[in-house]
């Protein structure tokens, strides 16, 4: 995975794609070679079902292809949170706010311990107009990463929009404590 990331970061997408496709082919050939041996086939199939969705996600990262994330999600039996996180990020990049929220929520149901995903989901929820969910998303972020001034700022903003002004002000003051240099936070506090 690190080698693929290095190739991707330096812009050598062809090499990255080649490595992933080689790994996918290797997994499939291992399954084919195990035909006839029940024990070996069971092991190879187990490795394929565990590795293939991850590799499809990596290939999706290289090619920026949402269909590969969808394929990973389906092949994993709706258990590959990485696929849904990647689909959420892709939708966010395309400014498809409601779709991003849907994908992020599915990923967070599988594993809620991703504060950065909660943050992105909260931002998408604001843009989609779901302020109530945005408030709960930013609350999750500040519960897990208490010193995140940007999350406190966003939480304060959505709480104020929900009419919970005192809670909103407290959240904004918390944001100012962690990001004193941000004029936007101080502007929100004054408002």
């Amino acid at each position: 995975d690190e080698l693929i990331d290095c190739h991707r970061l330096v812009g050598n997408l062809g090499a990255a794609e080649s490595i992933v496709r080689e790994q996918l082919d290797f997994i499939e050939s291992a399954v084919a070679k195990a035909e006839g041996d029940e024990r070996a086939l069971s092991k190879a199939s187990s490795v394929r079902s565990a590795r293939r969705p991850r590799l499809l996600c990596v290939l999706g990262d290289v090619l920026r292809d949402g269909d590969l994330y969808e394929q990973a999600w389906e092949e994993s039996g709706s258990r590959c949170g990485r696929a849904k996180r990647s689909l959420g990020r892709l939708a966010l990049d395309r400014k498809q706010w409601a779709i991003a929220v849907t994908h992020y929520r599915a990923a967070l149901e599988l594993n809620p311990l991703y504060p950065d995903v909660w943050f992105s989901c909260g931002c998408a929820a604001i843009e989609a107009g779901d302020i109530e969910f945005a408030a709960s998303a930013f609350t999750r972020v500040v519960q897990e990463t208490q010193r995140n001034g940007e999350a406190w700022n966003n939480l304060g903003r959505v709480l104020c929009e929900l009419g919970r002004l005192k809670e909103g002000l407290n959240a904004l003051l918390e944001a100012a404590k962690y990001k004193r240099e941000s004029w936007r936070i101080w502007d929100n506090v004054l408002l």
Side-chain angles (χ1 to χ4, degrees), residues 49-62:
S49 64
R51 276 289 282 155
R52 189 168 160 77
R54 169 85 173 123
L55 286 170
L56 288 171
C57 286
V58 172
L59 187 58
D61 291 345
V62 170

Side-chain angles (χ1 to χ4, degrees), residues 72-87:
W73 177 250
E74 289 170 19
E75 286 187 21
S76 71
S78 303
R79 299 196 38 81
C80 181
R82 174 151 174 357
K84 282 295 185 180
R85 288 190 300 275
S86 297
L87 283 165

Side-chain angles (χ1 to χ4, degrees), residues 115-184:
D116 55 325
V117 175
W118 281 108
F119 186 87
S120 296
C121 190
C123 292
I126 288 172
E127 295 295 333
D130 190 353
I131 303 302
E132 193 71 43
F133 180 72
S136 80
F138 291 123
T139 298
R140 288 295 299 254
V141 175
V142 299
Q143 287 172 342
E144 292 180 30
T145 56
Q146 223 172 6
R147 295 179 169 264
N148 187 331
E150 200 63 40
W152 279 110
N153 181 57
N154 291 356
L155 177 60
R157 174 184 163 202
V158 295
L159 289 173
C160 288
E161 284 185 37
L162 291 170
R164 297 161 52 185
L165 299 178
K166 185 174 182 177
E167 293 173 76
L169 178 59
N170 287 335
L172 290 169
L173 291 172
E174 217 34 55
K177 190 164 55 171
Y178 299 115
K179 290 195 79 161
R180 292 185 184 280
E181 73 286 346
S182 174
W183 65 268
R184 287 189 177 114

Side-chain angles (χ1 to χ4, degrees), residues 5-68:
D5 285 340
C6 288
H7 280 296
R8 204 165 45 93
L9 290 172
V10 297
N12 196 355
L13 300 180
E17 180 182 357
S18 175
I19 293 169
V20 176
R21 291 197 186 279
E22 285 174 16
Q23 289 297 308
L24 287 167
D25 291 342
F26 177 76
I27 290 170
E28 292 306 318
S29 67
V31 171
K33 286 179 187 174
E35 291 290 327
D37 182 354
E38 288 289 321
R39 189 171 180 199
L41 181 61
S42 174
K43 184 177 180 180
S45 295
S46 176
V47 168
R48 177 177 58 187
S49 64
R51 276 289 282 155
R52 189 168 160 77
R54 169 85 173 123
L55 286 170
L56 288 171
C57 286
V58 172
L59 187 58
D61 291 345
V62 170
L63 300 176
R64 301 287 296 160
D65 185 353
D67 292 339
L68 291 166

